[in-house]
Amino acid sequence: MNVDTPMRSFEAEAPHRQGLGAYMACFRGIVWREVLRFLYQRERFFSALVRPLVWLFIFAAGFRQVLGVSIIPPYTTYVLYETFITPGLIGMILLFNAMQSSLSMVYDRETGAMRTLLVAPFPRSFLLLSKLIGGVAVAVLQAYTFLAVAYFWDITPPWQGYITVLPALILSGLMLGALALLMSSLIRQLENFAGVMNFVIFPMFFASSALYPLWRIREGSPFLYELARFNPFTHAVELIRFALYGEVGAKIDPTMTPVEAGISLDGVLIPLASGELLDLTHLVVVVGCTLLFLGAAVYAYNPSKGLIGRRGGPGGGNAG
Amino acid sequence: MATVLTQDAAGAAIGDGAAEALVVNGVSHRFGEKQVLDNVSVTVDRGAFTVLLGLNGAGKSTLFALITRLYDNVSGEIRILGHDVRRKPTAALQRLGVVFQSRTLDSDLTLEQNLFYHAALHGIRKSEAKKRAVEALTTVGLQDRAHEKVRNLSGGQARRVEIARSLLHRPGLLLLDEATVGLDIGSRESVLSIVRGLVHREGMGVLWATHLIDEIAPTDRVVVLHKGRILYSGSVPGLLDATGKTNVREAFRTMTGTNDTAEAA
């Protein structure tokens, strides 16, 4: 050791534990970066918006005469097909944003940028959750921009729906983001991401209630119906659909069977003072899947338990 | 055939006030069947510039990944300023600054915004981060370009920003993994001079991983890593004495049994 060197007391520079203020600073910084990057990448903003708008303006306009939608909760009257698929298109925004975020995490892992996040002196679960919330903040901005444009296309939910949909957007965004986080830990290389499009995004979107109500899917294909009702994306879309009308789930007459009532699973039903049953299935599935996916992602990124260190990532095993 | 000539006896200091900035003691690591590191021990003293010399594939980046806890060390121990990386990761990582081999700056953001992000990752509040960003950019001579986007910088300037970023939380140990790869001679000298200055002025411990022999100064400590094993750890004169050679290049070639000089330039 060079004894002539003037030593700084490095121990005095940092406490042994991070306080609440430090956690808040870290969380704000991670979310701020995600939003800032999104705002700087204008092409990403417009392409994220154009996709659902094309579906709304072209696909829905073409199919409105073909596909009739009966009166199903939360709608109290017949609605145009454009109105019906709006929650599905919001779900599409959240789904594609989550997968875009997963893609950028795989890219960051290959380029090394993910390392700067993972070597920060905070629990890895906290860092990943903060990054996830940053991605959700971006997705929520996109969803509201879409709703603003859709308003001029006569998609006009009750005004309070714009507020009550926010928790549903956040929850659904967290679930899809956690799934994307998990997938980013499993995908070895960026090239494999095309498989994600084919095997995750498209099946999740099309085998759901985003484009057609479940009863109509059941009439067309009982097998597809089974897939759709166990698809977490279906429940995210339905949660958003009900939240846009200020509700958590369908209110069901207790004398009806689940199928008659139009609920997708046998349900998490709670009795109301009115004698009806409130179906909380969508909320429970979305929260449950979020916890499951997030837990698995944290496990996969945990250096002592997960998969990353065993196979040479993050960084793709560029051992030098 | 490569032979182990000397090996560091890892210090036993634990907790605050440890004499060593870094102690790696008996660490091994495998990727599946492949043994990447085999019983590696390295010590970096405070106020010392230590060169980790090895060819591509020697295990330098894996060792860095273990020190930074990107991978978990299942054998041996790693301590940063006395704090065990596995048992007290927060305390250890708070005292560690890293410059990775690959570029990790956000090219869409400005220099200042990149530094703010890093400060946040260390729990530093914005007002304090602003002050430290100015200090750190001044250290690397880029204070006038704080509001420019990173994509407008040259490779050498971007490296200097990464060094500035690694200093924001005032670490006691700095790891640099092939920090000068891809830079021209002027930029390499500039980066090296900044880091050596930090060792002398701040008393920081530095572990500088490289395969470029001309980056080694006579006063540096050298650790030779080859095929996952430490072949030598000590002073430059000690390395020359041990191998009976007159320069580090020849000594390295003899020690590792490699005749190919293309990789170790």
Side-chain angles (χ1 to χ4, degrees), chain B:
Chain B
M1 189 181 138
T3 333
V4 180
L5 295 177
T6 63
Q7 200 160 27
D8 274 329
I14 294 174
D16 293 354
E20 302 88 355
L22 172 71
V23 174
V24 175
N25 190 15
V27 167
S28 300
H29 197 75
R30 308 175 75 94
F31 290 135
E33 291 300 304
K34 191 181 174 195
Q35 185 82 43
V36 187
L37 293 175
D38 184 11
N39 195 28
V40 166
S41 296
V42 176
T43 301
V44 176
D45 289 331
R46 295 188 189 209
F49 189 97
T50 302
V51 179
L52 180 64
L53 183 64
L55 301 173
N56 292 329
K60 302 190 294 291
S61 293
T62 303
L63 180 59
F64 272 37
L66 288 165
I67 296 170
T68 54
R69 210 172 176 260
L70 285 169
Y71 308 159
D72 196 37
N73 60 307
V74 288
S75 65
E77 63 171 344
I78 299 172
R79 292 199 306 272
I80 297 170
L81 287 137
H83 301 281
D84 190 293
V85 168
R86 203 166 181 209
R87 278 179 291 182
K88 290 184 174 175
T90 300
L93 293 175
Q94 276 176 317
R95 289 155 178 81
L96 172 68
V98 194
V99 176
F100 290 108
Q101 185 175 352
S102 45
R103 307 292 154 90
T104 57
L105 294 170
D106 254 319
S107 53
D108 286 324
L109 306 188
T110 66
L111 276 63
E112 196 180 47
Q113 286 167 338
N114 268 285
L115 297 189
F116 288 167
Y117 172 59
H118 182 82
L121 288 181
H122 282 265
I124 300 167
R125 289 190 180 87
K126 192 77 177 274
S127 52
E128 178 65 17
K130 279 186 180 172
K131 217 165 56 184
R132 292 197 190 187
V134 173
E135 278 174 23
L137 285 174
T138 306
T139 303
V140 299
L142 288 170
Q143 65 276 21
D144 298 335
R145 306 190 65 174
H147 302 292
E148 278 187 45
K149 287 199 174 177
V150 166
R151 67 170 72 254
N152 297 333
L153 301 182
S154 68
Q157 288 165 336
R159 266 298 187 222
R160 279 150 62 191
V161 177
E162 288 189 317
I163 292 171
R165 185 179 63 177
S166 71
L167 300 176
L168 275 182
H169 56 289
R170 295 173 179 162
L173 171 68
L174 195 58
L175 303 184
L176 300 102
D177 190 5
E178 305 273 11
T180 56
V181 166
L183 303 186
D184 59 41
I185 292 173
S187 300
R188 278 177 62 194
E189 283 173 357
S190 159
V191 167
L192 256 170
S193 141
I194 288 167
V195 176
R196 288 188 187 282
L198 290 168
V199 172
H200 294 302
R201 281 195 316 274
E202 307 282 339
M204 201 174 273
V206 167
L207 184 61
W208 176 277
T210 188
H211 64 277
L212 302 171
I213 286 170
D214 60 355
E215 290 180 347
I216 302 171
T219 52
D220 293 340
R221 280 179 55 79
V222 181
V223 177
V224 177
L225 181 66
H226 187 64
K227 294 182 178 172
R229 297 181 65 214
I230 299 288
L231 302 187
Y232 176 81
S233 180
S235 66
V236 173
L239 174 66
L240 301 181
D241 285 348
T243 53
K245 300 292 177 185
T246 53
N247 63 62
V248 176
R249 191 180 308 277
E250 289 297 320
F252 179 78
R253 234 190 267 173
T254 305
M255 189 167 284
T256 56
T258 52
N259 290 318
D260 180 13
T261 55
E263 282 199 88

Side-chain angles (χ1 to χ4, degrees), chain A residues 8-200:
Chain A
R8 255 188 17 215
S9 171
F10 297 110
E11 296 305 327
E13 297 285 359
H16 290 197
R17 284 198 187 125
Q18 302 280 28
L20 183 62
Y23 272 88
M24 284 309 296
C26 181
F27 173 76
R28 273 199 303 268
I30 293 173
V31 174
W32 169 82
R33 174 186 178 256
E34 292 296 316
V35 173
L36 207 58
R37 281 184 70 189
F38 177 72
L39 295 177
Y40 281 162
Q41 295 169 359
R42 291 195 186 89
E43 311 81 32
R44 191 178 145 199
F45 182 85
F46 286 115
S47 67
L49 203 57
V50 163
R51 193 182 300 114
L53 286 176
V54 165
W55 278 77
L56 183 67
F57 295 158
I58 300 173
F59 179 85
F63 274 71
R64 71 195 289 187
Q65 302 304 331
V66 183
L67 294 168
V69 178
S70 65
I71 301 173
I72 51 168
Y75 309 113
T76 51
T77 60
Y78 285 102
V79 290
L80 287 176
Y81 185 60
E82 286 94 323
T83 302
F84 176 80
I85 67 164
T86 294
L89 296 181
I90 294 173
M92 175 196 255
I93 292 172
L94 300 179
L95 180 64
F96 274 82
N97 188 78
M99 295 309 148
Q100 173 87 31
S101 156
S102 167
L103 176 71
S104 81
M105 272 186 275
V106 175
Y107 179 77
D108 280 357
R109 226 177 55 208
E110 287 197 349
T111 60
M114 190 73 176
R115 291 167 181 234
T116 54
L117 177 75
L118 296 179
V119 301
F122 289 93
R124 204 160 276 190
S125 52
F126 170 76
L127 295 169
L128 292 174
L129 185 63
S130 300
K131 187 163 173 62
L132 180 59
I133 291 172
V136 172
V138 167
V140 168
L141 279 177
Q142 289 176 0
Y144 271 109
T145 310
F146 170 76
L147 276 172
V149 177
Y151 180 85
F152 295 101
W153 202 251
D154 275 346
I155 311 295
T156 51
W159 68 266
Q160 62 270 36
Y162 290 100
I163 300 164
T164 52
V165 78
L166 180 61
L169 292 178
I170 293 172
L171 272 177
S172 304
L174 283 175
M175 181 189 79
L176 296 168
L179 175 65
L181 194 63
L182 175 61
M183 287 194 316
S184 77
S185 70
L186 302 175
I187 298 169
R188 252 174 203 264
Q189 290 171 323
L190 210 54
E191 290 75 26
N192 300 349
F193 203 79
V196 172
M197 290 292 289
N198 293 333
F199 293 105
V200 179

